[in-house]
Amino acid sequence: MFLMNTYNRFPATLVYGKGSWVYDIKGKAYLDFTSGIAVNVLGHSHPELVKAIKDQAEKLIHCSNLYWNLPQMELAELLSKNTFGGKVFFANTGTEANEAAIKIARKYGKMKSEKKFKILSARNSFHGRTLGSLTATGQPKYQKPFEPLVPGFDYFEFNNIEDLRKKVSDEVCAIFLEPIQGESGIIPATKEFLEEARRLCDEYDILLVFDEVQCGMGRTGKLFAYQKYGVTPDILTVAKGLGGGVPIGAVVVNEKANVLEPGDHGTTFGGNPLACRAGVTVMKELTKEGFLDEVDRKGRYLLERLSRMKEKYGAVEDVRGMGLMIGIQLSGVENKSVAMKCFEKGLLVIPTGSNTVRLLPPLTVEYGEIDIALRILEEVLQEI
Ligand code: PMP
């Protein structure tokens, strides 16, 4: 085995996927309620996405940002017009999108005052693994081995308005928030909290950054979670689902936050035609009439049935989420062992923080498939 030991993996080698299903090397089928951690929003081998990638591969895969390319411009326009009309920078991953946002925030602050460089983020947040994003990730377990971290960061309690107020000052240039915390157990922000964050940012001239790497791209039944809350950030970071499986990240900034100039930031692969063509296809599918409403309906269906299980089984402590981003918090039993039992029965789910099992099915999942997942989950809950 030539791979570094960086992941705890389930014992399966996946070779093929179609719709909501993946197949391992032995031919065993699994119902995929992970979507590659919120990536395969259109399911596996979606015909439009496959066609677009094939077509683009035959035209131009990469050309760098020394030149313009058509898919990059088209995807930027789609992202801008479907959000708050901002400008777009393309990266390749979620953590890179956040690194770009950190640099934008630092530059914005510096333009106002030498002292305005502090970045606030939430405890138990997750923003990525590169050093800047890792520093914004308010979880010592990920940070400790890599200290010293990037200076100038501080943390507040998620959903705690008083604590956020205490940490805010003129020295802060940005507040980073996941509208729904993903890695720490699918914990939605309260509307009041996001509204107060917005208000404080306006009062202290701070950029509000929403990391929608996980909760964006249709997951919640709106294209972006902030649209569900009605609270608009200055900077939006996106990745995962944007390419439907092809690596891509993006940062959308409003006019105020549009501070980067040539030479300030860049990446060789960012915005390459292949990834952007995939992104264009995903954006067009997600914004088709009725698609996101259907995500909302399917999410409600799933959440309602899971809530019934909560009444029935003591092991289910809480069920929460929005759209097709749902967490089942367990008690008296480990999330990892529940996920493994599901795996053995052919259902893929993700153990995550707060002893929670995370469900992130493709947004194209069918009701019949939701029923199969519910049946397997119920079997597992009966057995434990
Ligand atoms: N932000 C959030 C909210 C995430 O959930 C993740 C990944 N789980 C990241 C950032 C990092 O994304 P990536 O793994 O693509 O770097």
Side-chain angles (χ1 to χ4, degrees):
M1 180 58 80
F2 299 99
L3 291 166
M4 273 200 235
N5 187 26
T6 45
Y7 302 102
N8 290 314
R9 302 180 203 248
F10 287 90
T13 301
L14 303 180
V15 290
Y16 172 71
K18 184 82 197 152
S20 305
W21 298 83
V22 286
Y23 300 84
D24 72 12
I25 203 163
K26 295 178 192 143
K28 182 174 171 187
Y30 302 86
L31 181 55
D32 184 3
F33 267 45
T34 71
S35 306
I37 323 189
V39 169
N40 305 95
V41 284
L42 301 179
H44 298 277
S45 312
H46 187 280
E48 288 303 316
L49 186 59
V50 171
K51 199 168 90 190
I53 292 170
K54 275 187 181 165
D55 180 66
Q56 190 59 46
E58 284 172 357
K59 285 185 177 146
L60 186 67
I61 294 178
H62 177 80
C63 64
S64 88
N65 289 297
L66 293 168
Y67 312 98
W68 303 93
N69 78 70
L70 294 171
Q72 184 180 131
M73 289 188 280
E74 189 179 358
L75 183 56
E77 182 173 352
L78 283 168
L79 277 170
S80 178
K81 289 190 170 159
N82 284 288
T83 54
F84 39 82
K87 301 273 198 246
V88 180
F89 174 84
F90 286 110
N92 311 286
T93 60
T95 198
E96 272 180 82
N98 286 326
E99 291 291 338
I102 290 167
K103 283 178 72 178
I104 291 166
R106 282 279 166 89
K107 183 164 182 201
Y108 179 84
K110 219 178 183 71
M111 285 160 65
K112 310 270 161 167
S113 144
E114 278 300 321
K115 282 194 187 146
K116 199 174 177 68
F117 58 79
K118 247 194 189 169
I119 293 176
L120 303 181
S121 61
R123 294 221 172 77
N124 280 320
S125 58
F126 192 93
H127 298 292
R129 307 279 195 163
T130 52
L131 268 180
S133 302
L134 178 67
T135 309
T137 293
Q139 300 199 53
K141 71 171 177 189
Y142 293 125
Q143 298 175 324
K144 280 269 174 258
F146 308 104
E147 287 174 343
L149 299 170
V150 177
F153 282 71
D154 199 3
Y155 309 92
F156 54 83
E157 208 62 57
F158 191 61
N159 279 340
N160 183 333
I161 289 177
E162 275 318 301
D163 194 44
L164 180 63
R165 278 189 192 139
K166 266 190 246 156
K167 304 283 160 57
V168 163
S169 75
D170 288 327
E171 294 179 0
V172 175
C173 64
I175 295 176
F176 274 68
L177 269 170
E178 296 162 85
I180 303 169
Q181 289 190 332
E183 296 301 318
S184 54
I186 314 291
I187 305 177
T190 61
K191 189 166 159 50
E192 299 70 45
F193 187 69
L194 295 188
E195 282 170 351
E196 181 61 8
R198 178 70 273 176
R199 201 193 62 70
L200 289 166
C201 284
D202 292 338
E203 186 181 338
Y204 289 86
D205 194 8
I206 294 168
L207 295 176
L208 182 59
V209 184
F210 282 173
D211 175 346
E212 295 222 22
V213 167
Q214 189 162 154
C215 65
M217 293 310 294
R219 224 357 92 194
T220 61
K222 291 271 187 204
L223 192 57
F224 292 103
Y226 83 81
Q227 294 160 335
K228 201 128 192 170
Y229 283 95
V231 177
T232 306
D234 301 297
I235 302 179
L236 178 71
T237 60
V238 190
K240 289 190 185 277
L242 179 56
V246 181
I248 185 169
V251 188
V252 187
V253 298
N254 66 12
E255 212 177 312
K256 193 164 73 168
N258 186 23
V259 295
L260 294 185
E261 295 166 293
D264 278 341
H265 195 52
T267 150
T268 301
F269 287 121
N272 93 47
L274 186 75
C276 287
R277 184 72 187 275
V280 166
T281 311
V282 170
M283 284 293 289
K284 285 187 175 163
E285 289 295 320
L286 262 50
T287 51
K288 272 188 179 158
E289 179 85 32
F291 184 96
L292 292 171
D293 291 339
E294 188 60 12
V295 171
D296 197 59
R297 271 194 292 276
K298 286 185 286 198
R300 282 172 205 276
Y301 178 86
L302 178 55
L303 193 66
E304 200 260 323
R305 273 150 188 84
L306 288 170
S307 301
R308 284 189 213 160
M309 284 190 207
K310 185 182 151 198
E311 326 249 286
K312 238 167 118 183
Y313 301 100
V316 181
E317 169 95 14
D318 193 20
V319 174
R320 56 179 176 257
M322 231 182 256
L324 290 171
M325 182 174 188
I326 294 177
I328 306 166
Q329 188 170 350
L330 299 160
S331 80
V333 51
E334 254 208 88
N335 59 353
K336 287 197 183 94
S337 67
V338 168
M340 185 52 90
K341 280 198 184 311
C342 289
F343 171 83
E344 284 160 6
K345 292 175 186 288
L347 173 67
L348 305 183
V349 298
I350 321 172
T352 184
S354 316
N355 202 26
T356 296
V357 164
R358 193 170 21 158
L359 307 183
L360 301 166
L363 305 183
T364 50
V365 69
E366 291 173 9
Y367 284 95
E369 293 166 340
I370 293 177
D371 288 338
I372 294 171
L374 286 164
R375 204 194 59 230
I376 294 175
L377 277 165
E378 180 137 28
E379 267 177 38
V380 170
L381 288 170
Q382 274 165 1
E383 285 170 20
I384 54 177

